[in-house]
Amino acid sequence: MALTGELSLAIVRLARRLRGRRTSKVVSLTQLSALSTLHHEGPMTPGALALAERVQPPSMTRVIASLSDLGMVRREPHPTDGRQAIVTLAPRGSEVINAELEAREEWLSARLEELSIDDRDTLAAAVPIIKKIIIGGPDDR
Amino acid sequence: MALTGELSLAIVRLARRLRGRRTSKVVSLTQLSALSTLHHEGPMTPGALALAERVQPPSMTRVIASLSDLGMVRREPHPTDGRQAIVTLAPRGSEVINAELEAREEWLSARLEELSIDDRDTLAAAVPIIKKIIIGGPDDR
DNA sequence: TATTGTTATACTCTATAACTATA
DNA sequence: TATAGTTATAGAGTATAACAATA
């Protein structure tokens, strides 16, 4: 299917443009993605967060550590299992998340403003489909 | 616009899933993206390729070097300007590109097969819009 | 002096392998 | 012995700053 190749290239190129702009922002897109999952799904263990974000546990360990350093999340002991921990959105993380989600990418917002209403509608319709794709497939990459 | 945040997260998460699978493939998505540009637009200088791919020149230097090592591209002297070079798709690069574009992401192809025809149509309609976004905005990131 | 490209360096994101602590 | 998580290490991808060569 030709769509596969076209979509792959479009996605990686747009992600490249979105990522480059780390400077002067409070959190990276990777960090924001994890915060957003905690916001939507509530406190969870590092393992569950890694699964939700579809990254390996060691990768999530680093993201959590960086967010903890920023005061965005807290690590709390698991009530019954000493091996696990519970990662919770801290007040600072809650404050930041919506503002960042909407305001972080002025660049993307400006690009979206330049589109026609039809184009924006198409993108809005594509977002849930992309989410389906992300969730689909094997967990073990 | 809420779409900004939703779209950002969806894009970076899908890109993350697409990237992870470097193993057992001939070229990475970054390399494939550069090959694809050379395929569509013909031979060009490293600077022009960096601009087309929207990365900084030193980043493109590395991509070209890796593709050259793989025998996918050739560097030729510029006919009139000794500072510049011309990067050309080598036969090996041409052979690889279409097969890779369509076959590289079996994972994505399988996900697309699981969608409804309407969903695929929506994604297909979204691709050219995403391309518009990628091209838009300032070159100096 | 301006432009093109490369080299040097560093940071983010992600992975796999090995290890620790607890169950 | 199995599971959850961290530490150690590595590699891709990208950037900025400094440099060399040529115009």
Side-chain angles (χ1 to χ4, degrees):
Chain A
M1 198 188 315
L3 177 56
T4 307
E6 291 291 310
L7 185 58
S8 288
L9 291 180
I11 294 290
V12 295
R13 285 171 178 161
L14 182 51
R16 179 192 283 159
R17 296 214 74 177
L18 288 175
R19 274 240 154 84
R21 19 194 109 261
R22 301 168 198 112
T23 50
S24 87
K25 293 302 173 180
V26 183
V27 291
S28 74
L29 271 176
T30 295
Q31 293 169 324
L32 188 56
S33 185
L35 287 178
S36 176
T37 294
L38 287 173
H39 180 66
H40 281 101
E41 308 196 8
M44 63 181 77
T45 66
L49 191 50
L51 187 62
E53 287 288 314
R54 302 293 182 138
V55 298
Q56 294 300 313
S59 304
M60 189 48 65
T61 293
R62 301 193 66 181
V63 175
I64 293 169
S66 66
L67 287 172
S68 181
D69 287 349
L70 291 168
M72 303 276 179
V73 303
R74 282 196 310 270
R75 296 175 49 90
E76 293 169 355
H78 191 286
T80 64
D81 187 336
R83 297 170 302 181
Q84 302 187 53
I86 303 290
V87 182
T88 308
L89 206 52
R92 175 101 182 90
S94 299
E95 281 167 27
V96 149
I97 193 164
N98 281 313
E100 283 292 302
L101 257 185
E102 291 181 16
R104 184 182 186 280
E105 296 301 335
E106 306 108 30
W107 177 85
L108 179 57
S109 294
R111 297 294 79 68
L112 293 176
E113 297 289 350
E114 292 163 3
L115 297 173
S116 70
I117 293 177
D118 278 357
D119 280 358
R120 278 203 295 272
D121 285 348
T122 299
L123 284 182
V127 167
I129 302 171
I130 294 173
K131 286 183 183 174
K132 277 193 237 177
I133 295 174
I134 294 167
I135 294 170
D139 293 345
D140 46 306
R141 329 178 26 169
Chain B
M1 200 186 318
L3 178 56
T4 307
E6 290 291 310
L7 185 57
S8 288
L9 292 179
I11 295 289
V12 296
R13 285 171 178 161
L14 182 51
R16 178 192 285 160
R17 296 214 75 176
L18 289 175
R19 275 240 153 86
R21 15 196 111 262
R22 301 165 198 116
T23 50
S24 85
K25 294 301 175 181
V26 183
V27 291
S28 72
L29 271 175
T30 295
Q31 293 169 323
L32 189 56
S33 186
L35 287 178
S36 176
T37 293
L38 287 172
H39 180 66
H40 281 102
E41 307 196 9
M44 63 181 77
T45 65
L49 191 51
L51 187 62
E53 287 286 317
R54 304 291 184 137
V55 297
Q56 294 301 311
S59 303
M60 189 47 65
T61 293
R62 301 190 66 179
V63 175
I64 293 169
S66 67
L67 287 171
S68 182
D69 288 348
L70 291 169
M72 303 277 179
V73 303
R74 281 195 311 268
R75 297 174 47 92
E76 292 169 355
H78 191 284
T80 64
D81 188 334
R83 296 170 302 182
Q84 302 187 55
I86 303 290
V87 183
T88 308
L89 207 53
R92 173 100 182 91
S94 299
E95 280 166 28
V96 149
I97 191 164
N98 282 313
E100 283 292 304
L101 257 185
E102 291 182 16
R104 185 182 187 280
E105 297 302 335
E106 307 107 29
W107 177 85
L108 179 57
S109 294
R111 297 293 79 69
L112 293 175
E113 297 290 351
E114 292 165 2
L115 297 174
S116 69
I117 293 178
D118 278 357
D119 280 357
R120 279 202 294 271
D121 286 347
T122 299
L123 283 183
V127 167
I129 302 170
I130 293 174
K131 285 183 183 173
K132 278 193 237 176
I133 294 174
I134 294 166
I135 294 170
D139 293 346
D140 46 303
R141 330 177 25 170

